[in-house]
Amino acid sequence: MLKRSARFQPSLQSRILECKKGEDDEVPMSLSDLNDKRLFIPTPRSETTCATPQPTDELDWLAQIPEEGQTYDDYLRSLTTRTRMKPLANAEGIDILLLPIIRAEEGSEWPEHGPSLQKLVDYTRIFFDRPVHLLSAAKLDVSRIGEASSKKKRKIVSNKPGAFANASKRKFTLTLPSDEDDNVQLSVNIAGRAEILGDRMQLQVESLLDELSSFRYSRHNKNEKDFCIMGITLEDLYDGPSDLFCAGMAFGGDKVAVFSFARYHPLVKMHPEKWWHYGYGKKSDGYSYYEDDDQDPAGLSDVPPVITSQQREMECEFLRRSCKLLTHELGHLYALDHCIHNKCLMMGTGHLVEDFRAPTHLCGVCLRKLCWRTGFDVVVRYKLLASVFENMGLSKESKWAKKQYEKCNHDNL
């Protein structure tokens, strides 16, 4: 936790009242940073000073969704004048809960080929200046409920994206962790789809979020400190039937989100249109799609390989991608919309090339929004970020955070 805000953690209600105060009213210490614009101006060569890139391809984010953006004043209005939100969405809880979702046959252990959960917890704690807790894992059971009746029937199924959405012959059952007091586990059915002629499968993201919302509401009376529940998984997700995959989604009002690291493995290679057509190579080149002149490359593994400590560069890249995905989705739960002001963590992305290009950091506009919402000390946060980046082996990000810390310290002299 950051030092200044540890002494004073203003609630959302106090921030709403603060917006309604006159200029002569006293400002709490942890909110005083908001008026010091120097703290939200990055160093001159920082990537977050650059304008949001304009689309160059029809699949780019802004080519698909011409978003209006959200200014700092828009953000304050959205949190101080909303009247249609569910009461629980304005709860004063501050704890971030991470819920691993794993296969039942894997026991209770997070898969070895996934990013380090402890490092993700440590990073999230510093990024948002909030307590972060790792819940016991939710367990996914996948069972077959039948096979295609004939070869003729199989031939009718198209190879177009989403063709297997209604042809799934699997049942997906999620068992959520029990409450510490009653020790009763809840099992729910999740929608999904499966490849008929293979073992590839995906979970439908909104179906999963619906159950996570119910799970969060069921915890509320006994766990008033909860702010949100974030499902994290290595299972593949999708939203609509034509989706290649879906990295993650948030229900902002219910304060739940879920995201998948499945397509963020540094060695993954995938077909640009067929969701079930992917594998894992032996070397990482930073590009996750098949080459245009080879849409069925040989030599790919069906099983994601474990990245060892000797493969330091790939291990760091997997962490970098995972941290960005986690904090981006969490940003939405703190009511941060997609950013169109500068290069920023909160930019939207239309594909993985855009996703991997996005910065790890917030631009000045979004940083100020989050500072208003959580009350952290901007300078101390930069110092702690530099340390946690260094511990994860993310030297580029660590150097960036150190430069911001030194600049802010110099400006305050």
Side-chain angles (χ1 to χ4, degrees), residues 116-148:
S116 166
L117 288 184
Q118 188 56 55
K119 289 180 179 179
L120 291 177
V121 167
D122 293 342
Y123 177 65
T124 306
R125 183 182 296 122
I126 299 301
F127 192 96
F128 291 97
D129 185 27
R130 285 293 184 261
V132 180
H133 306 287
L134 199 60
L135 297 176
S136 299
K139 298 181 180 179
L140 177 71
D141 182 71
V142 182
S143 57
R144 293 180 179 271
I145 57 175
E147 299 291 346

Side-chain angles (χ1 to χ4, degrees), residues 295-367:
Q295 294 291 291
D296 191 16
L300 296 182
S301 169
D302 289 336
V303 180
V306 176
I307 299 175
T308 66
S309 57
Q310 285 74 34
Q311 297 168 302
R312 184 65 170 167
E313 187 175 339
M314 276 199 292
E315 182 184 31
C316 292
E317 181 58 27
F318 201 2
L319 264 178
R320 177 181 291 110
R321 295 175 180 183
S322 303
C323 286
K324 288 199 297 184
L325 179 59
L326 171 55
T327 49
H328 178 100
E329 294 299 333
L330 261 172
H332 287 317
L333 296 190
Y334 282 99
L336 297 177
D337 286 350
H338 282 151
C339 179
I340 63 168
H341 306 292
N342 302 287
K343 283 188 175 181
C344 178
L345 171 75
M346 294 309 299
M347 293 191 305
T349 58
H351 45 79
L352 288 178
V353 175
E354 270 194 317
D355 196 314
F356 298 160
R357 274 200 215 118
T360 311
H361 319 289
L362 295 171
C363 72
V365 177
C366 293
L367 179 64

Side-chain angles (χ1 to χ4, degrees), residues 182-233:
D182 55 33
N183 202 32
V184 175
Q185 291 185 316
L186 175 67
S187 293
V188 294
N189 291 329
I190 303 295
R193 63 184 179 185
E195 178 191 7
I196 288 182
L197 303 179
D199 295 323
R200 299 295 193 199
M201 59 192 70
Q202 292 181 321
L203 301 179
Q204 208 282 329
V205 66
E206 290 198 29
S207 173
L208 193 50
L209 283 171
D210 284 338
E211 299 304 334
L212 291 183
S213 296
S214 298
F215 178 59
R216 180 179 183 266
Y217 279 90
S218 71
R219 289 176 49 92
H220 179 57
N221 291 336
K222 296 181 181 179
N223 302 275
E224 294 184 357
K225 291 185 177 180
D226 294 0
F227 170 70
C228 67
I229 292 180
M230 300 286 295
I232 54 177
T233 186

Side-chain angles (χ1 to χ4, degrees), residues 65-76:
I65 308 172
E67 301 198 43
E68 296 181 358
Q70 179 193 53
T71 66
Y72 176 70
D73 289 338
D74 291 338
Y75 182 74
L76 297 193

